Amino acid sequence: MTIAAFGDLRLHRLKKIEIVVLAEDHALVEDLLKAAGVGGWTMIRDVAGMGHSGFHQGKTIFNDQSGLVMFVGVAEDGIIAGVARGLARLFERRPGVTFLSDVEVMRSDYFGPAAT
Amino acid sequence: MMVQLTAADPVLTRTEVAGLVALAARTAAPLWPLESAIAVNPLAGFEGLPFEAAVRLAAQRFGARRSLPLGQWRKLLAAGKLDERSLRDAAIRKLGGLNAAFELIGPNISRLDLLMARLLHLPVQEPGAGPAPLPADAAFIAKWCAAFFDQGQASSPMPNRELGLYRAVLAAIGHDPDFRALTGESGRHLLLSVPRDPLEAIAEGLPALGIPAGQEGPKLEELVARLPGWAGHIRWRNEHADPEIAAASPAGMADLLALWLLLERGGAVSAPARPQSAGGGADLLARHFGLAEAVDDARLADIAAMDEDDLGALFQTAAEWTYRNTLAARLQTAATGRAPPESPDAQLVFCIDVRSEPFRRALEGQGRYETFGYAGFFGLPIALHRHGEARRTRLLPVLLAPQHDLREAPVPGREQEAEALAASMAQASQASALLDAAKQGTATAFATAEATGPLAGLLMAARTLAPGLARRIGSALSPGRDDVLAPDLGGHGTRAPFTLEEKVGFALALFRLTGLPQRTAGLVALVGHGGSAVNNPYAAALDCGACGGHAGGSNARILAAILNEPAVRTGLAARGIAIPRATWFIAAEHDTTTDEIKIFDRCSVPASHRDDLAALAASLARAGEANRQRRAALLGRSADDLLTGAAHWGEVRPEWGLAGNASFIVGPRWLTREIDLEGRAFLHSYDWQADADGTALATILTAPMVVAQWINCQYLFSTIDNDRYGSGDKATQNVVGGIGVLQGNGGDLRVGLPRQSLFTDDGTPFHVPQRLLTVVLAPFEQVERVVASNTILGRLFGKGWVTLVVIDPHSGKALRWRRDAEIAPDAPANHETEI
């Protein structure tokens, strides 16, 4: 697709998923992303913020498992849908939030599925 | 179970299965290998539940007891480990308060009398005849796990390991008579038809077995719990090990679960074991009080219906209250009677480990020494590449990932000795590899035994008949490794592992977290610790948990060296910590088995400090002797015998380790200095006045205290049910190379601690199973802010895994943190209450 403001830049529409979970649950989300075939993702450690159970402090210096982490992944709709379905199972038992949105990327080959 | 041979349409998608598997994996706690054994709460995956509910659910899952047997608790009561008054208080609460407890069932016989009789006098269930053998299905999977995860012990490694556990086992079991015996013809068909992808196999297997929607998760959790040892090993490999360890033989929890479902589809899975804890019998209870007419009274029946685990839980509560009330009273008195500070001759920073406390007390009795408690990794997130070792050693708590890799290098001026040592270490390593290869070769095994047998026999004889001599010979043959090799901080042409800013940060953390004053003494010693044991699979469990199950001397050496760097001192001064120029930091290591102290890098100590160091070394030796005498009495042997035990290859209990651990005290040393804490307290130094924003307290409670809680829970559950949560009798264990131990010649990897670490030889528990009591000296609101903003703490204190008591520094009053269940759902979250 092309958008006028971007001139002749070729953009590719994909789906983005952002996931915020307790840092101690990061391995659960990683397992899920791998199982869904997401080729790569960004993990932002030491996330803090306000939730409905109060303020969540960031990571403390001697415990990587404290605080929250945020994952950002971009892939084809079907793959992200798979992640979302798996997350729905995780969120039945563990706290966390997720955001889905449409995004455009310039290099679609960076976001191809991983071998599972 | 009806055998299902046709493929069922999956109900769940592959990623839904992945989500359920990831959750189910939490049922088993990660299990570290023996070389870096660290304590883990075997119920870590249940910590989201209130303690009592977690214990109940885990008991169902693992087929475990919920409490120490009643007969054992009665022995502990008779030995004075808990008081009867606390037991009565626990019983009254159980019955619903004073009015309900004193309700009369018969003439002058209250409900409380009935319950106390059940607790103290009525006959108890006889202990069973030991653990049931592993069912054939679990033994089958355990056998293939042992083959797959073998780390080079097997002379013929299992083929196809690169395909993963599930696929490799599928490829192999077609020829396994055990598989045919378990699954018959249906197994043969299944092997041809099941998906090769473990997630897809689970997705297909769950509906094929008729597992209803919503029950898939509990089903998978139940299967993970069948072999918690191997499941824990898988978790360690995937979540905590360096990636190269698992790269050649990948295995996830989905692999293990897909194998279980394969067996179940083949009709081979047995019903899970469920231990039965008996009620007392209404007849017996009524007869005991001559109340035949009351046998049908519901108020009697509900007491008679309590099983022995219910009663044991009351004893546990009583033990916790006995300890809490005694300690809190003593700390309250101490909090208001602070002695004026003295100018110390030396300051020493020990690990928070419970074994440091009695040693610190003994040392403080030797002179003007001020001691502090700090996490034994000294705040350094490091891994060390030891000379001559293939893999790096993680010298930090498992809560952290290493951020800096260091290597060992020769101590300046000792390069030639280091070279000679390296050559002899390489030779020894080659000889060992050759011997291992020769032992396993079919043509060479007997020849090897003949060739090396006499020498091995001599060594065995020496370690049996003259272990002290063997120890001295060993020391003489390997001249001070630590004297010629040291962790390399750069500056010798190698890349520095830390920036100056990082070094200043590590140095600053020591002061900020412990309240160590900037007016330091002339000598400040950082004292790591480790144990000594020969031929002991659990040797690492005696080392420092904060250093990932390794001795902490290297960390102490590194931080001491950092603190002696002029540039770091300058950086510290710029951050408000101006250390006197006359201060010199030294590193040492406390051997908790022998109570000997090794002082590192003595030759680099300035001449101006040599006399002070000599005096300190003499005091440390005297303190060691005193502490050895104290510990020897607890072990029922002589102090000299402890030195022998550290070198004896048949020694099953070289020390009591952390047995007895009960509290975690956060405050300055003057709060506890006059109290004999009996080696049961983790002590973390802390100055609330220097921590206005609560950062230091948050760090202490979310890291060192969490490690202490893991240790506490490991000891607690290993004692309650040593067969399920512990590893049983050391004498019948077999080591699976590099991984763990088995009981006998196969089965599940054993989790937890051996019986000898927890019980005396006559079977009486040495460790009293009770939950950790955390005490903080600080204003309640300061502590409350920290707890409220850290999820981990809200869970541990709110759900009853740890009891929190806060002592107000102004009034000395002790307040307890109320559990979530004590706060009405619609009431404001007021956590403060009397103890």
Side-chain angles (χ1 to χ4, degrees):
Chain A
M1 65 169 286
T2 56
I3 299 172
F6 292 92
D8 59 355
L9 269 182
R10 183 162 177 75
L11 300 176
H12 305 270
R13 175 154 289 176
L14 292 171
K15 194 73 90 184
K16 178 168 81 170
I17 189 163
E18 293 159 294
I19 307 158
V20 181
V21 293
L22 296 176
E24 65 191 50
D25 289 342
H26 75 97
L28 277 68
V29 175
E30 285 176 345
D31 282 354
L32 197 54
L33 292 166
K34 284 180 205 163
V38 179
W41 56 84
T42 301
M43 183 172 153
I44 304 167
R45 296 184 196 276
D46 198 7
V47 175
M50 193 70 186
H52 55 244
S53 60
F55 188 77
H56 292 275
Q57 196 60 264
K59 181 177 103 57
T60 57
I61 60 172
F62 289 167
N63 190 345
D64 291 343
Q65 314 288 315
S66 59
L68 306 169
V69 292
M70 180 170 182
F71 289 86
V72 182
V74 171
E76 300 281 354
D77 284 13
I79 291 176
I80 296 297
V83 178
R85 291 184 74 107
L87 276 177
R89 293 287 173 169
L90 285 187
F91 290 160
E92 287 171 8
R93 300 272 300 279
R94 304 295 301 167
V97 292
T98 189
F99 313 105
L100 294 161
S101 51
D102 294 322
V103 290
E104 285 85 38
V105 302
M106 290 193 293
R107 294 185 292 182
S108 61
D109 54 318
Y110 265 50
F111 303 96
T116 57
Chain B
M1 176 70 63
M2 177 71 73
V3 176
Q4 173 63 266
L5 293 182
T6 53
D9 288 335
V11 175
L12 300 171
T13 65
R14 195 168 177 280
T15 52
E16 283 178 304
V17 171
L20 289 173
V21 168
L23 284 172
R26 297 298 183 91
T27 307
L31 178 63
W32 268 258
L34 293 171
E35 63 181 12
S36 56
I38 57 122
V40 177
N41 177 9
L43 271 57
F46 299 78
E47 281 181 5
L49 296 170
F51 179 82
E52 297 77 7
V55 171
R56 190 170 288 277
L57 180 60
Q60 286 173 9
R61 288 271 188 267
F62 296 117
R65 299 184 53 86
R66 289 180 280 120
S67 169
L68 196 64
L70 207 51
Q72 297 277 36
W73 273 120
R74 288 181 182 174
K75 281 188 195 174
L76 290 174
L77 178 69
K81 302 289 185 187
L82 61 149
D83 61 44
E84 196 171 319
R85 188 175 155 187
S86 294
L87 186 60
R88 286 177 73 82
D89 289 344
I92 289 168
R93 190 180 71 171
K94 174 78 175 173
L95 292 170
L98 286 169
N99 289 340
F102 286 100
E103 199 175 333
L104 294 180
I105 302 286
N108 290 326
I109 299 168
S110 67
R111 296 179 73 221
L112 180 60
D113 294 327
L114 300 184
L115 182 49
M116 291 305 289
R118 284 218 57 203
L119 287 164
L120 299 175
H121 306 303
L122 263 59
V124 296
Q125 207 174 0
E126 287 300 315
L134 206 58
D137 50 357
F140 174 81
I141 291 182
K143 176 182 78 172
W144 283 104
C145 283
F148 182 86
F149 292 115
D150 174 73
Q151 292 194 340
Q153 267 203 331
S155 48
S156 306
M158 180 175 169
N160 301 313
R161 294 204 295 181
E162 69 284 0
L163 298 177
L165 172 65
Y166 173 66
R167 289 185 177 110
V169 173
L170 281 189
I173 56 177
H175 308 290
D176 182 350
D178 288 344
F179 183 69
R180 284 199 294 279
L182 278 166
T183 63
E185 189 64 12
S186 64
R188 197 175 66 81
H189 285 291
L190 280 166
L191 271 188
L192 297 172
S193 62
V194 287
R196 263 44 192 168
D197 173 74
L199 291 172
E200 288 171 11
I202 296 168
E204 183 184 287
L206 288 168
L209 289 166
I211 308 300
Q215 288 305 305
E216 301 98 336
K219 173 70 188 174
L220 297 177
E221 288 164 17
E222 190 183 288
L223 292 175
V224 169
R226 295 288 186 95
L227 290 170
W230 286 114
H233 180 65
I234 289 173
R235 284 199 65 193
W236 167 75
R237 276 171 123 239
N238 292 338
E239 298 171 35
H240 299 279
D242 286 335
E244 68 268 18
I245 289 175
S249 52
M253 201 61 73
D255 291 86
L256 188 65
L257 287 168
L259 289 175
W260 272 112
L261 290 180
L262 173 71
L263 282 197
E264 187 151 355
R265 291 178 74 181
V269 170
S270 56
R274 297 268 186 269
Q276 296 298 318
S277 182
D283 285 348
L284 188 65
L285 189 57
R287 268 204 313 279
H288 182 77
F289 285 95
L291 291 172
E293 70 285 359
V295 72
D296 295 325
D297 190 325
R299 296 169 303 171
L300 180 145
D302 65 353
I303 294 170
M306 290 179 197
D307 67 27
E308 290 204 359
D309 280 341
D310 294 330
L311 301 176
L314 294 178
F315 271 97
Q316 183 183 312
T317 301
E320 290 163 353
W321 288 358
T322 302
Y323 183 79
R324 184 189 73 194
N325 295 341
T326 307
L327 180 62
R330 297 167 84 184
L331 290 173
Q332 286 185 97
T333 305
T336 50
R338 179 181 183 177
E342 285 184 349
S343 173
D345 289 338
Q347 292 160 320
L348 298 98
V349 184
F350 286 82
C351 179
I352 61 169
D353 192 287
V354 298
R355 292 166 293 180
S356 297
E357 182 267 327
F359 191 95
R360 288 171 62 180
R361 178 172 316 289
L363 178 68
E364 287 159 354
Q366 300 297 325
R368 290 191 306 170
Y369 297 115
E370 188 177 17
T371 67
F372 296 81
Y374 189 35
F377 77 117
F378 293 102
L380 301 172
I382 57 166
L384 183 64
H385 297 256
R386 291 188 193 278
H387 209 81
E389 291 183 8
R391 288 187 185 145
R392 65 179 186 166
T393 304
R394 292 174 175 230
L395 294 173
L396 75 175
V398 298
L399 297 166
L400 284 174
Q403 291 166 28
H404 308 274
D405 278 60
L406 282 83
R407 298 193 170 276
E408 281 185 324
V411 169
R414 317 235 7 207
E415 289 80 2
Q416 280 193 333
E417 289 164 273
E419 207 170 302
L421 180 68
S424 73
M425 280 159 53
Q427 252 179 351
S429 167
Q430 282 167 3
S432 171
L434 197 63
L435 183 65
D436 284 346
K439 275 194 304 189
Q440 290 173 13
T442 48
T444 53
F446 290 110
T448 306
E450 284 193 17
T452 61
L455 180 60
L458 277 175
L459 279 172
M460 279 167 54
R463 285 182 176 157
T464 309
L465 302 172
L469 178 64
R471 185 165 169 251
R472 288 194 293 278
I473 291 172
S475 304
L477 288 177
S478 59
R481 188 183 194 283
D482 298 318
D483 295 334
V484 298
L485 290 170
D488 184 8
L489 271 69
H492 308 291
T494 55
R495 192 176 66 82
F498 310 117
T499 64
L500 176 61
E501 192 182 345
E502 287 164 344
K503 287 194 267 197
V504 172
F506 299 139
L508 199 62
L510 170 68
F511 289 88
R512 294 272 189 262
L513 293 177
T514 64
L516 179 67
Q518 58 175 311
R519 299 300 303 169
T520 42
L523 267 183
V524 182
L526 308 180
V527 189
H529 68 95
S532 287
V534 177
N535 189 35
N536 184 344
Y538 289 91
L542 303 177
D543 286 338
C544 179
C547 296
H550 302 97
S554 297
N555 295 60
R557 292 176 92 177
I558 294 165
L559 188 59
I562 287 173
L563 283 157
N564 286 328
E565 281 188 28
V568 172
R569 299 273 181 105
T570 305
L572 278 176
R575 308 279 293 270
I577 303 287
I579 301 174
R581 291 185 64 172
T583 292
W584 187 259
F585 288 84
I586 59 168
E589 189 172 276
H590 172 204
D591 185 323
T592 53
T593 312
T594 63
D595 274 314
E596 294 166 325
I597 297 271
K598 184 195 298 174
I599 297 175
F600 298 101
D601 308 311
R602 294 177 85 132
C603 56
S604 62
V605 175
S608 55
H609 291 69
R610 297 262 166 90
D611 288 347
D612 289 343
L613 179 58
L616 175 61
S619 295
L620 287 166
R622 287 194 297 274
E625 175 61 30
N627 199 40
R628 198 158 52 243
Q629 294 281 0
R630 185 195 69 83
R631 288 179 41 242
L634 295 174
L635 285 156
R637 48 207 290 191
S638 73
D640 285 347
D641 201 32
L642 296 192
L643 299 177
T644 305
H648 197 297
W649 78 311
E651 175 63 59
V652 292
R653 190 184 297 116
E655 55 165 289
W656 274 121
L658 291 98
N661 71 81
S663 60
F664 182 90
I665 303 176
V666 186
R669 176 59 174 152
W670 57 259
L671 179 68
T672 53
R673 192 172 160 133
E674 303 304 323
I675 305 170
D676 181 0
L677 294 163
E678 301 173 326
R680 304 187 69 188
F682 298 90
L683 295 183
H684 200 301
S685 296
Y686 173 66
D687 178 2
W688 66 273
Q689 289 171 299
D691 184 37
D693 67 357
T695 303
L697 186 60
T699 302
I700 293 167
L701 295 181
T702 58
M705 191 201 75
V706 168
V707 172
Q709 181 250 334
W710 288 5
I711 292 168
N712 172 267
C713 280
Q714 185 187 54
Y715 274 81
L716 187 155
F717 291 111
S718 289
T719 307
I720 282 178
D721 191 335
N722 194 247
D723 291 321
R724 296 304 294 165
Y725 296 135
S727 62
D729 194 333
K730 268 184 175 177
T732 48
Q733 287 175 351
N734 270 312
V735 175
V736 184
I739 298 178
V741 300
L742 305 173
Q743 273 294 350
N745 62 355
D748 195 14
L749 279 183
R750 303 308 298 260
V751 301
L753 295 163
R755 187 175 302 279
Q756 283 84 353
S757 297
L758 306 156
F759 294 83
T760 58
D761 290 340
D762 70 2
T764 308
F766 178 82
H767 179 73
V768 180
Q770 62 189 74
R771 286 170 284 179
L772 191 68
L773 168 69
T774 288
V775 183
V776 181
L777 181 71
F780 194 90
E781 58 276 15
Q782 192 164 325
V783 180
E784 191 170 32
R785 279 197 303 273
V786 169
V787 176
S789 54
N790 286 279
T791 308
I792 297 172
L793 302 180
R795 184 172 68 213
L796 291 176
F797 299 139
K799 299 196 181 299
W801 291 87
V802 178
T803 300
L804 172 63
V805 166
V806 180
I807 298 183
D808 183 82
H810 304 296
S811 66
K813 188 173 181 187
L815 296 166
R816 182 175 63 81
W817 184 270
R818 290 206 292 183
R819 290 180 57 173
D820 297 347
E822 296 178 81
I823 299 171
D826 299 328
N830 176 13
H831 286 281
E832 178 184 316
T833 188
E834 305 283 327
I835 346 187

